[in-house]
Amino acid sequence: MMRAMKTAARMDSIGTETAFEVSARARALEATGRSIVYLQIGEPDFDTPDNVRDAAKRAIDDGMTHYPPYAGLPELRAAIAADTTARRGFAVEPSNVFVTVGGKGVMVYAILALVDRGDEVIVPDPGYPIYDSITRFVGGTSVPIPIRQENDFRLDVDELASLITPRTKLVVINSPANPTGGVLTRGDIERIAELALRHDLVVLSDEIYARILYDGAEHVSIASLPGMAERTIVLDGFSKTYAMTGWRLGYAIVPPSLIKTYSQLVINTISCAPTFAQIGAVEALTGPQDDVDAMVVEFKARRDLIVAGSPKAPSHHQRR
Ligand SMILES: Cc1ncc(COP(=O)(O)O)c(C=O)c1O
């Protein structure tokens, strides 16, 4: 019998996303008849809106079953560019858009593209685990920036400044955040942009939850600030906003200087994202948005219920 296969040394430093492992265990328990409430993964329990599903079904029937261009279908890249320009307030050309397999692809490519052995990447803690995992995988060092409840689950920009060293290459921000729901203010974003400009840093701005905002909170994309589009990779996707987790479609908005790099990484890994799914995504972006709004209303109602039933956070006064 073959002995256990020896994997490459680099596999010693890769992490994981435990939410997927917990999901598998929860499903196994459910199969034994237990009643399970899934809270572990960012998975909307709604089905993908009908108009999106219909568009993808028609696409299959119309023969959209071949390889699309590696960066995405032109009509989807154009729709993403228009949507980004309109919602995030900075000019995006279709050539800056890469459609990937999940938003996860965008972060993996950003780190593969930019982080050399010994480079430092500042990552939110707690935060989405893959930023840290892939940084370590490529031989970089992830430097956690604590996210605290006392600061409304926003990073402290002075603390961020204190973590920057000559080896810092990339800063990852995620607003609205997983897992805390924290939202950076315009003031925070402006100060982070100043730091990025002053220290010549690249920002990976994970904005996958940008449409899921409550109580009038504002989403500010750091790429919309002066001088920042050239040094920011914006990550978004269809999983959360349109309840399309299983379609595996995300996208990157990259500066012109990274177009060739992203092209190489996409071609070397996925070749392209599924064609008919991309037709569904065009409908998601350009069709009616009522389902998105209805899902956000429901998420907010659930959030309010959980917060009302949770122990109170110490007030600002008590904290001092
Ligand atoms: C913060 C954050 N970024 C990115 C992703 C990636 O999502 P997907 O690969 O489904 O687009 C997730 C999914 O949970 C997430 O929570």
Side-chain angles (χ1 to χ4, degrees), residues 40-232:
Q40 75 286 358
I41 201 162
E43 166 77 87
D45 57 334
F46 300 98
D47 289 329
T48 304
D50 285 343
N51 59 320
V52 178
R53 290 196 277 174
D54 290 343
K57 286 184 221 168
R58 276 197 307 275
I60 292 183
D61 290 340
D62 292 347
M64 299 292 284
T65 55
H66 302 273
Y67 288 127
Y70 63 85
L73 289 175
E75 55 270 49
L76 180 55
R77 295 174 83 198
I80 292 168
D83 183 77
T84 305
T85 302
R87 288 183 194 283
R88 293 188 164 92
F90 66 102
V92 176
E93 296 298 327
S95 58
N96 298 117
V97 177
F98 279 83
V99 179
T100 57
V101 171
K104 195 178 248 175
V106 177
M107 68 183 77
V108 174
Y109 298 145
I111 295 166
L112 286 176
L114 296 167
V115 180
D116 269 324
R117 189 160 287 281
D119 283 348
E120 294 172 5
V121 180
I122 301 183
V123 301
D125 177 26
Y128 193 61
I130 303 304
Y131 317 130
D132 166 67
S133 170
I134 300 296
T135 298
R136 288 191 288 110
F137 187 58
V138 302
T141 303
S142 59
V143 177
I145 168 102
I147 307 293
R148 299 191 181 84
Q149 184 169 3
E150 301 89 89
N151 198 33
D152 294 330
F153 296 114
R154 292 153 41 221
L155 60 78
D156 175 333
V157 185
D158 292 326
E159 198 168 8
L160 176 66
S162 75
L163 295 176
I164 295 171
T165 76
R167 291 311 305 256
T168 309
K169 183 72 199 250
L170 184 67
V171 176
V172 181
I173 57 174
N174 173 216
S175 176
N178 173 5
T180 60
V183 179
L184 295 170
T185 63
R186 178 173 288 277
D188 295 334
I189 298 278
E190 284 170 356
R191 293 183 59 214
I192 297 168
E194 271 168 36
L195 288 174
L197 290 164
R198 190 175 336 135
H199 297 279
D200 192 22
L201 307 176
V202 182
V203 176
L204 169 63
S205 184
D206 183 341
E207 303 181 13
I208 200 143
Y209 295 103
R211 299 273 300 271
I212 307 180
L213 287 170
Y214 313 132
D215 306 325
E218 180 194 20
H219 172 68
V220 181
S221 176
I222 196 164
S224 68
L225 299 187
M228 287 306 294
E230 293 97 271
R231 57 177 66 247
T232 304

